[in-house]
Amino acid sequence: MNRRIEKLALLILVIIAATLGWSCAPPTAQIKVSRNEIEKGDPVTVSWETKNAKQVQLDGQPVEKVGAKTVTPEQTTTYELLAKRGRKEARDSATVNVRVKTIPAPTITLRAEPDAIEHGQSAKLIWTTTNAKVVTISGLGDVPVSGEREVSPRVSTTYTGTAVGEGGTATAGVRITVTEPPPPPPPVERPRVTQPPEPAIEEQFARAVTAIFFDFDKAELKPSEQEKLRRAAEWLLQDRNRSIVFRIEGNCDPRGTAEYNLGLGDRRARAARNFLVSLGVDAARIETVSYGLEKAQGTSEGAPDIIPSWAHDRRDDFVYLRGGERR
C-alpha cells in the first residue's frame, strides 16, 4: 500500500514539474515576407507566427499572435516582430528591398530644309523624338511623335517643338529666315516709239483681276463674283500671261474672333483658287493667304454711300507677284 502511495506521489510531482516547465517556456517569434525585392508601388505580404507569447508587437504596434497583412513600401523597409512573456522576449525581422523604376527622359530634334527661303516659298519641318507620348510644334499644334510638315511662313519664324513623356519634357527649336525676292533687273532702254507705252504688267493685272466679295460669314462664290473670275481666267490663260504668279488674300469684316476670321479668310481665298483652277489656271501659279480681320476698315453695315463698310471688308484681293514680263 505504501509503495502505491509513493508511486502516485511521484507521478503527481512529475506532472507538476512538467506544468511548471511549460508555463515558463520562453516565447518564439518568426516573421517573413512574400517577396524580398519589389518595384516601387508593388504590394507585398508580411506574415508572422509566435508561440508562448503574452504580448506581440509588429513595428511597435500590438498585433495578434499569428497574422498577416499586405503593405506597399515606398522604400527599402525592415519589419520587426517582438514576442513577450514576462521578462522573456523573442525578436525576428524581415527586409523588403524596394527598387525605383528608372524612366528615361524624352528627346526631340527639329530641323528645317531649307532654313532660308524667299517670301512665298515653302520649307519642310522634320522632327524625331524618343520616349515621348505627346508632341506639339508651335504654329502646327499636336503632331505625330516623328514626321515632317511643309510650312510657308510669311516672315522669319522660329518653330519650337515640345516632347512630353513619363520622364519629363524636352524642347527643340529651329528658325526659318524669310527674305524678299531680289528686284527684277532694270528695263532695257528701247527706241522711242510713237505709240504710248504699254501699262506695266502689275497695272494690267490689277485691271483684269479684280477683288471679289462675299456675304456675311460665307465663303461660297456668288454668281456675280464667279463671272468676275471667269473674265480673270480668260486674261490669265492668254499666252502672254501664262507665266504670271499671283496671291489671293482672304479678308473678313471685324466681327468675330481673330482665330475664326483667319479660318474664314482662308476658306474664301481657297474658294477663289479652286474656281480658277477649275477654269484651267495652273494651281502652281496661285498662292493663298488669310489676313482674317487684320485689314478690316469698315465701320458698319449701313447704306451703300457709307464707304468703307463691312461688306467691303468681306473680300478676296488678288496681288500680282511675278511673271508675265512684256518684251
Side-chain angles (χ1 to χ4, degrees):
M1 183 69 177
N2 291 335
R3 185 181 295 274
R4 299 175 78 179
I5 293 174
E6 289 176 358
K7 289 183 178 180
L8 181 60
L10 180 60
L11 179 61
I12 293 172
L13 289 174
V14 171
I15 294 173
I16 292 173
T19 303
L20 291 174
W22 176 84
S23 63
C24 296
T28 62
Q30 183 180 19
I31 186 171
K32 60 183 179 179
V33 292
S34 58
R35 290 186 291 171
N36 295 104
E37 191 166 327
I38 63 171
E39 297 281 356
K40 183 178 180 180
D42 291 345
V44 64
T45 300
V46 180
S47 58
W48 64 91
E49 180 179 356
T50 66
K51 294 181 180 179
N52 306 324
K54 289 292 186 179
Q55 298 177 352
V56 180
Q57 293 181 352
L58 178 64
D59 291 337
Q61 300 296 322
V63 293
E64 297 294 331
K65 296 177 182 179
V66 178
K69 70 175 184 177
T70 300
V71 295
T72 308
E74 294 293 317
Q75 58 190 1
T76 297
T77 304
T78 298
Y79 298 91
E80 295 186 349
L81 180 68
L82 172 61
K84 290 183 177 182
R85 184 181 182 88
R87 296 182 178 181
K88 296 180 180 180
E89 295 182 352
R91 296 176 180 270
D92 194 16
S93 63
T95 300
V96 178
N97 294 315
V98 178
R99 299 191 304 268
V100 178
K101 296 179 182 178
T102 301
I103 302 176
T107 65
I108 180 171
T109 61
L110 178 64
R111 71 181 192 275
E113 293 183 357
D115 58 5
I117 60 174
E118 292 183 357
H119 182 81
Q121 295 179 337
S122 298
K124 186 182 295 183
L125 289 178
I126 304 171
W127 66 93
T128 58
T129 67
T130 61
N131 307 317
K133 289 190 173 181
V134 178
V135 181
T136 59
I137 297 179
S138 57
L140 302 182
D142 290 344
V143 295
V145 293
S146 296
E148 59 184 47
R149 189 76 60 84
E150 187 174 279
V151 294
S152 301
R154 292 181 291 162
V155 296
S156 297
T157 303
T158 298
Y159 293 89
T160 301
T162 302
V164 180
E166 293 183 357
T169 301
T171 60
V174 66
R175 183 171 180 80
I176 298 178
T177 302
V178 180
T179 59
E180 292 296 330
V188 179
E189 281 193 34
R190 300 184 179 279
R192 292 185 179 181
V193 292
T194 55
Q195 62 183 17
E198 185 178 28
I201 185 61
E202 296 90 340
E203 182 179 347
Q204 296 180 49
F205 178 91
R207 292 177 180 175
V209 188
T210 59
I212 61 173
F213 299 88
F214 295 85
D215 288 332
F216 171 67
D217 198 25
K218 299 292 184 182
E220 292 76 18
L221 298 172
K222 298 186 290 187
S224 60
E225 310 312 295
Q226 291 181 7
E227 184 59 33
K228 289 183 183 179
L229 293 176
R230 288 190 181 94
R231 293 195 297 267
E234 291 177 0
W235 186 83
L236 290 168
L237 291 173
Q238 295 177 11
D239 289 341
R240 65 195 316 229
N241 299 327
R242 285 184 176 272
S243 64
I244 291 176
V245 178
F246 59 97
R247 181 172 64 245
I248 304 176
E249 300 178 346
N251 298 277
C252 305
D253 65 37
R255 291 172 289 182
T257 65
E259 181 180 5
Y260 178 84
N261 281 313
L262 278 174
L264 179 58
D266 181 68
R267 294 195 299 275
R268 289 172 173 172
R270 291 182 181 275
R273 175 184 180 277
N274 294 340
F275 191 79
L276 289 173
V277 170
S278 72
L279 296 175
V281 180
D282 189 352
R285 301 170 57 188
I286 309 172
E287 298 180 5
T288 62
V289 67
S290 173
Y291 286 110
L293 52 74
E294 182 177 337
K295 294 186 176 182
Q297 300 179 4
T299 57
S300 72
E301 190 69 24
D305 59 332
I306 299 178
I307 297 177
S309 68
W310 284 339
H312 179 267
D313 290 332
R314 300 190 297 267
R315 70 184 188 279
D316 277 348
D317 288 330
F318 297 83
V319 179
Y320 168 84
L321 296 178
R322 59 186 179 275
E325 290 80 4
R326 305 295 192 234
R327 294 185 178 180

